[in-house]
């Protein structure tokens, strides 16, 4: 393998290798210069610089003839191999831009991960069959760089960081309960009535037991309580559907249950908050094709979802 010697390969050395190969192919500096649209002086300079870098003489020069030295013949083959390898790398990279491939490592809160698995991933994988997905569903803050992840899906306020956050839209919060619970406990008519209801508190949510409401035209955090506290939105939803009490959750997370009548929204228009939904990924000069494909796809997906 070529690379001796007294330095690493940089772009100038690669250029000199290409010129050297062209001179050997054409048999003269002048012919190579015409082929490369360079001056003969520039071609000669590239060959000399490559000789200096390698520490060998590549050509025997006479007024009538230009011929490779023994070392020149050896390094001609090696230079061609390097050029071919670099071209293969470039071609592979360009192909990846057309068709993202490899493994995409995604993290999301458990409830959001389940929604993506059921709704987004099948369609995404059908569109990009060369991609594999590794999903980490955890209800904790995840450092993407430290844990080698590509993208995080997050709901709520984001801490300041060096990550890039692509907004996927605002998520409306809704208060929901089952028909059986509301039949027994009655529907709250105002945010203050929540104090008289059994409310399921989700400690993972940014609001916890201080539900953001509109009271008298102003925002007010109403402190709620109940006999169940959870740290998972899915459990809060399922408990509400089973008649345990009221829960405050992102609307998209309970759409199916609302449509089926398993849950009913109460105090519509009285919840004074929307939470942001984001795809977050590390900064880079060139976002990888697989990350770009996923972020664009899920952004478009939720735009379409919100329009229906």
């Amino acid at each position: 393998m070529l690379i001796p010697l007294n330095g690493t390969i940089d772009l100038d050395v690669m250029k000199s290798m290409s010129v050297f190969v062209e001179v050997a192919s054409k048999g003269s500096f002048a012919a190579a210069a015409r082929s490369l649209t360079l001056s003969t002086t520039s071609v000669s300079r590239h060959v000399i610089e490559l000789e200096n870098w390698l520490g060998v003489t590549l050509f025997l020069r006479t007024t009538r003839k230009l011929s490779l030295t023994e070392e020149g013949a050896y390094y001609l083959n090696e230079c061609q191999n390097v050029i071919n390898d670099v071209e293969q790398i470039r071609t592979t990279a360009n192909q990846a831009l057309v068709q993202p491939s490899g493994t995409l490592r995604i993290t999301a809160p458990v409830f959001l991960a389940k929604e993506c698995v059921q709704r987004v991933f099948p369609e995404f994988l059908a569109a990009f069959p060369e991609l594999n997905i590794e999903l980490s569903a955890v209800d904790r803050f995840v450092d993407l760089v430290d844990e080698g992840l590509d993208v995080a899906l997050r709901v709520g306020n984001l801490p300041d960081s060096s990550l890039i956050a692509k907004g996927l839209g605002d998520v409306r919060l809704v208060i929901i309960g089952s028909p059986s619970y509301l039949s027994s406990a009655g529907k709250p008519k105002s945010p203050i009535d929540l104090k008289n209801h059994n409310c399921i508190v989700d400690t993972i949510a940014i609001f916890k037991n201080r539900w953001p409401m509109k009271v008298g035209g102003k925002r007010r955090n109403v402190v709620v309580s109940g006999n169940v506290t959870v740290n998972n939105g899915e459990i809060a939803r399922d408990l509400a559907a089973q008649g345990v009490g009221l829960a405050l959750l992102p609307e998209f997370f309970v759409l199916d249950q609302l449509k089926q009548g398993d849950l009913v929204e109460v105090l519509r228009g009285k919840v004074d908050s929307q939470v942001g939904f984001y795809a977050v990924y590390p900064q880079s000069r060139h976002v990888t094709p697989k990350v770009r494909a996923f972020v664009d796809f899920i952004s478009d997906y939720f735009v379409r979802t919100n329009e229906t």
Side-chain angles (χ1 to χ4, degrees):
M1 174 68 183
L2 168 71
I3 304 189
L5 292 182
N6 52 9
T8 57
I9 291 183
D10 58 23
L11 292 178
D12 287 337
V13 174
M14 286 298 303
K15 177 65 174 178
S16 295
M17 286 184 182
S18 297
V19 171
F20 164 54
V21 170
E22 189 67 13
V23 171
S25 173
K26 300 298 184 184
S28 77
F29 286 88
R34 288 192 296 270
S35 174
L36 298 169
T37 63
L38 296 172
S39 67
T40 303
T41 300
S42 179
V43 169
S44 178
R45 177 175 55 80
H46 274 295
V47 171
I48 291 171
E49 288 178 353
L50 184 60
E51 287 178 326
N52 291 336
W53 188 78
L54 292 169
V56 300
T57 299
L58 298 172
F59 291 108
L60 293 175
R61 302 165 175 87
T62 68
T63 56
R64 295 184 178 181
K65 186 178 181 182
L66 183 70
S67 59
L68 287 166
T69 63
E70 182 179 351
E71 293 83 2
Y74 170 78
Y75 281 117
L76 174 62
N77 182 65
E78 292 294 318
C79 285
Q80 188 63 66
N81 288 339
V82 170
I83 292 169
N84 291 341
D85 288 344
V86 171
E87 179 60 24
Q88 180 60 45
I89 291 171
R90 188 187 69 81
T91 300
T92 300
N94 287 340
Q95 289 173 345
L97 289 172
V98 176
Q99 184 64 43
S101 60
T103 299
L104 182 66
R105 296 172 177 85
I106 303 171
T107 184
V110 173
F111 78 91
L112 189 56
K114 288 191 174 183
E115 290 298 303
C116 285
V117 167
Q118 295 174 12
R119 302 176 187 275
V120 180
F121 287 177
E123 190 176 337
F124 176 69
L125 290 171
F128 299 97
E130 298 301 315
L131 272 174
N132 300 313
I133 289 178
E134 286 185 8
L135 175 66
S136 175
V138 291
D139 286 329
R140 63 176 176 81
F141 177 81
V142 176
D143 189 303
L144 297 185
V145 176
D146 285 350
E147 300 194 29
L149 296 164
D150 297 305
V151 183
L153 299 179
R154 291 176 178 165
V155 175
N157 298 327
L158 297 178
D160 292 335
S161 74
S162 60
L163 301 175
I164 297 174
K166 166 71 173 179
L168 304 177
D170 291 327
V171 179
R172 191 170 74 93
L173 295 174
V174 294
I175 298 175
I176 46 86
S178 72
S180 62
Y181 172 82
L182 295 173
S183 176
S184 173
K187 286 187 178 182
K189 294 181 171 54
S190 74
I192 301 302
D193 292 343
L194 291 172
K195 294 179 177 291
N196 301 320
H197 279 267
N198 196 49
C199 296
I200 303 164
V201 175
D202 182 0
T203 59
I204 289 296
I206 58 174
F207 40 79
K208 297 181 173 58
N209 70 326
R210 299 172 61 84
W211 290 7
M213 308 297 299
K214 297 175 184 176
V215 180
K218 297 181 179 179
R219 180 189 175 98
R220 176 176 173 181
N221 291 327
V222 176
V223 178
V224 301
S225 61
N227 59 8
V228 177
T229 299
V230 301
N231 66 348
N232 180 277
E234 182 182 22
I235 295 175
R237 179 189 64 188
D238 291 348
L239 287 172
Q242 293 171 34
V244 172
L246 301 179
L248 177 59
L249 292 166
E251 182 182 31
F252 79 88
F253 192 48
V254 294
L255 281 176
D256 287 346
Q257 290 77 13
L258 289 172
K259 291 177 181 178
Q260 294 165 6
D262 296 329
L263 289 171
V264 177
E265 181 182 359
V266 299
L267 295 176
R268 185 177 180 87
K270 297 295 185 180
V271 180
D272 188 34
S273 187
Q274 294 187 119
V275 293
F277 180 29
Y278 303 92
V280 180
Y281 52 95
Q283 287 192 25
S284 173
R285 287 185 60 201
H286 302 286
V287 178
T288 61
K290 61 184 179 181
V291 170
R292 175 64 63 197
F294 179 73
V295 171
D296 289 346
F297 186 91
I298 197 169
S299 177
D300 177 69
Y301 176 88
F302 280 100
V303 167
R304 287 187 282 117
T305 299
N306 290 334
E307 290 176 348
T308 58

